[in-house]
Amino acid sequence: WYDELDTEAHRKYVRRLIVACLAVIGTAAVAVFVLRERGIREAIAGHSSALTALLDRNDVEAAEAYAATLQKEQPEMLQVPQIQAMLVAVERARQDEDTRLERFQEGCKAIESAIASANNLADAANLRTQLDALNARSAAETEELERLGGEIEKHCQEIQKRNDEAFTAEFQKTVEEYQTFEATGSADRKLL
């Protein structure tokens, strides 16, 4: 009879031990799952915020490099809708940047070809306004704007020099006519 009680107590102990082990294993599995999901959410949020920051800075090349690295190193992230939306935003930013760059280059060419045909300071000022409207993002683009600005300034100085020479010649002519008038006491009929 004691043997049966001892065996029954042992069985209860083993059952409790198995239930406790299963509870510990289940709790650990839930904890691992929760931590894994939290890590995935944090990774998604980190990738999304990094891409957003790069796009906000208009650094399309860096955003494309980040996206390429993400595709290579963590391809499972490409299945996440938030990351897919960011990749679409990177593609759209590339298209916008290509369009902006094309407009920038066309604007620079148009200004460069128009510099020589600017006949007065107002035309040159208009070219300067067009130059200021161009959106430079890289150091090379900024250098190009500075170069064109220098050419416009040089052309403005040439125009001003021509204007000064024309004014001086006209003034000299007027002075000579006035001196002739004072000397003879009569004005040239062509002037009247």
Side-chain angles (χ1 to χ4, degrees), residues 51 77-91:
L51 285 169
M77 286 289 172
L78 303 179
Q79 305 306 318
V80 178
Q82 191 174 1
I83 298 297
Q84 289 174 347
M86 292 308 302
L87 294 178
V88 168
V90 169
E91 287 177 28

Side-chain angles (χ1 to χ4, degrees), residues 27-48:
T27 303
V30 168
V32 166
F33 177 78
V34 167
L35 290 175
R36 182 177 173 274
E37 288 299 312
R38 182 182 298 160
I40 290 171
R41 280 195 307 273
E42 288 174 356
I44 291 169
H47 294 313
S48 182

Side-chain angles (χ1 to χ4, degrees), residues 37-181:
E37 288 299 312
R38 182 182 298 160
I40 290 171
R41 280 195 307 273
E42 288 174 356
I44 291 169
H47 294 313
S48 182
S49 65
L51 285 169
T52 300
L54 291 172
L55 292 176
D56 287 346
R57 287 193 329 228
N58 292 319
D59 195 350
V60 178
E61 288 79 16
E64 287 175 325
Y66 189 95
T69 302
L70 185 63
Q71 288 173 339
K72 190 182 298 180
E73 294 178 1
Q74 297 179 353
E76 69 277 1
M77 286 289 172
L78 303 179
Q79 305 306 318
V80 178
Q82 191 174 1
I83 298 297
Q84 289 174 347
M86 292 308 302
L87 294 178
V88 168
V90 169
E91 287 177 28
R92 193 174 313 119
R94 167 48 58 203
Q95 292 168 353
D96 293 346
E97 176 61 14
D98 289 344
T99 302
R100 183 207 64 82
L101 185 58
E102 185 178 322
R103 284 188 199 139
F104 178 84
Q105 291 170 343
E106 288 173 357
C108 287
K109 286 178 186 176
I111 290 171
E112 189 163 23
S113 65
I115 289 174
S117 63
N119 294 325
N120 55 48
L121 293 176
D123 291 344
N126 185 31
L127 290 176
R128 173 54 86 176
T129 302
Q130 291 175 20
L131 185 68
D132 291 341
L134 293 178
N135 184 9
R137 289 193 180 156
S138 70
E141 291 173 358
T142 302
E143 288 177 16
E144 179 65 10
L145 291 183
E146 289 172 358
R147 182 186 71 77
L148 288 174
E151 287 185 24
I152 291 171
E153 185 60 34
K154 181 180 173 185
H155 194 69
C156 282
Q157 290 172 356
E158 291 170 2
I159 292 171
Q160 187 62 51
K161 183 179 177 184
R162 282 194 312 256
N163 289 348
D164 290 346
E165 289 170 355
F167 175 78
T168 302
E170 188 63 33
F171 182 73
Q172 190 64 29
K173 181 180 171 187
T174 303
V175 167
E176 289 172 2
E177 289 173 355
Y178 179 73
Q179 288 173 343
T180 302
F181 172 73

